[in-house]
Amino acid sequence: MKKTRKKIGIVGCGAVGSGVALYIRKYLSSYAKVHSLSDLNEAAALRLRKEVSGRPSILEMEEMFKACDILIEAASVDAAKSILRKALFYKKDLIIVSVGALIEDFSLLENAIKKKVNIYIPSGAICGADGIGALSMGNIKKISLITSKPPRSLAGADYIQRRNIGIKGLKKERLIFKGKVSEAIKYFPRNINVAATLLLVSAFRNIEVCIKTNPELKRNTHRIIVKAQEANLNIEVENIPSKTNPKTSFLTILSVQHLLNKIFFPFKVGS
């Protein structure tokens, strides 16, 4: 009996969407196929279509949700909000890369549980997500996230422009923001996916977030400090940007690929 391959739709055909589509073609073709693509930039979707075997369809999101088994959001926080609601409406499993979209309305996650829709969140830059999740079962006392970026990585951020914060020509490190995780996600939606993922993994609401810019840095770095009754964690990650899009890290792309592996090969350590 021939095994039916899962039909996957990808929304967003940039660095993440492309990296995931090519990974499915190369390593998961016995289990899944890229059925369709969607992107506001049609040229990006057409370009990726040529690289993926089977020449997936280019569809509007509505048609994609009707046709596919699993959707992968790799677009933006704004797009992710709409995609999440459609996933619930059509009862389709979803991998969401723009994790900040989940924070604004937790009722969406409650609806996903009720409707038995799986929402998958890649670990991204949080190497140690399982350990933080384990500590959430105990007694976490404090979590801090210190994100440091080169000035170019924060250029154009609405928060910086509204407050007229000068980051061009900086000579030394500067603290840009310090506050709650909900505020960080609101003010830096394109820069702070790590904070959103950390909140969901830990279930700890009072995460302290610091965002710094440092002209001496070449790459984005994240330091996560967890203090708990059962253990203390200190995690530091230095992201290497992808060649196709410097604003996207290789680790983000790899974390989605790894998540797909776990979906199709559900071997679980500790199960």
Side-chain angles (χ1 to χ4, degrees):
M1 183 176 174
K2 189 175 180 181
K3 188 174 181 180
T4 303
R5 294 188 296 167
K6 293 285 187 183
K7 292 181 285 187
I8 295 180
I10 298 176
V11 183
C13 299
V16 176
S18 298
V20 172
L22 297 177
Y23 182 81
I24 293 169
R25 182 195 70 180
K26 189 172 182 180
Y27 296 105
L28 297 176
S29 59
S30 297
Y31 307 91
K33 66 176 181 179
V34 180
H35 174 275
S36 47
L37 304 169
S38 179
D39 198 298
L40 289 176
N41 181 357
E42 190 175 356
L46 288 168
R47 191 162 50 247
L48 181 55
R49 183 176 186 266
K50 292 178 182 178
E51 298 179 43
V52 179
S53 59
R55 292 296 178 94
S57 304
I58 296 176
L59 299 177
E60 296 293 330
M61 274 199 292
E62 207 77 32
E63 295 303 314
M64 181 183 284
F65 271 94
K66 292 176 183 177
C68 294
D69 301 303
I70 301 174
L71 279 292
I72 299 174
E73 176 279 318
S76 67
V77 170
D78 288 336
K81 295 172 187 176
S82 172
I83 292 165
L84 182 55
R85 287 182 171 85
K86 288 185 185 297
L88 297 178
F89 180 80
Y90 287 104
K91 295 184 179 180
K92 297 295 176 78
D93 290 351
L94 173 67
I95 295 175
I96 187 163
V97 176
S98 304
V99 187
L102 294 170
I103 304 302
E104 293 184 4
D105 188 357
F106 282 107
S107 68
L108 293 173
L109 293 177
E110 293 168 0
N111 285 337
I113 294 169
K114 290 177 183 177
K115 295 187 176 186
K116 297 182 179 179
V117 173
N118 293 312
I119 307 296
Y120 297 100
I121 302 169
S123 58
I126 303 183
C127 295
D130 284 350
I132 297 171
L135 285 178
S136 74
M137 308 299 290
N139 184 16
I140 294 176
K141 298 179 181 298
K142 183 178 180 181
I143 297 181
S144 300
L145 168 65
I146 302 105
T147 291
S148 300
K149 300 185 176 231
R152 69 176 182 277
S153 294
L154 289 168
D158 188 53
Y159 179 88
I160 289 174
Q161 291 180 336
R162 285 188 179 186
R163 286 159 178 77
N164 198 26
I165 300 172
I167 59 174
K168 190 175 180 181
L170 278 180
K171 301 298 182 185
K172 60 181 181 179
E173 181 180 79
R174 179 172 179 178
L175 177 66
I176 298 296
F177 171 86
K178 184 176 182 179
K180 296 179 180 179
V181 65
S182 57
E183 296 171 327
I185 293 164
K186 176 183 176 182
Y187 296 136
F188 298 89
R190 297 181 181 179
N191 291 277
I192 205 68
N193 252 354
V194 176
T197 304
L198 186 56
L199 174 59
L200 292 168
V201 166
S202 68
F204 188 76
R205 297 296 183 98
N206 297 317
I207 299 170
E208 181 184 82
V209 179
C210 291
I211 300 175
K212 300 178 179 181
T213 187
N214 189 336
E216 295 182 3
L217 288 179
K218 301 257 188 252
R219 299 167 180 165
N220 297 338
T221 65
H222 305 283
R223 186 181 178 197
I224 299 165
I225 302 166
V226 183
K227 303 287 186 183
Q229 183 175 313
E230 296 78 13
N232 295 328
L233 298 180
N234 196 328
I235 302 163
E236 189 161 344
V237 179
E238 180 181 299
N239 283 333
I240 297 176
S242 74
K243 294 176 181 177
T244 53
N245 182 359
K247 291 186 177 181
T248 300
S249 71
F250 275 120
L251 192 53
T252 298
I253 300 168
L254 292 174
S255 68
V256 182
Q257 294 172 353
H258 182 243
L259 185 50
L260 282 168
N261 275 354
K262 291 204 289 185
I263 292 170
F264 289 105
F265 310 106
F267 170 75
K268 299 177 182 177
V269 175
S271 62

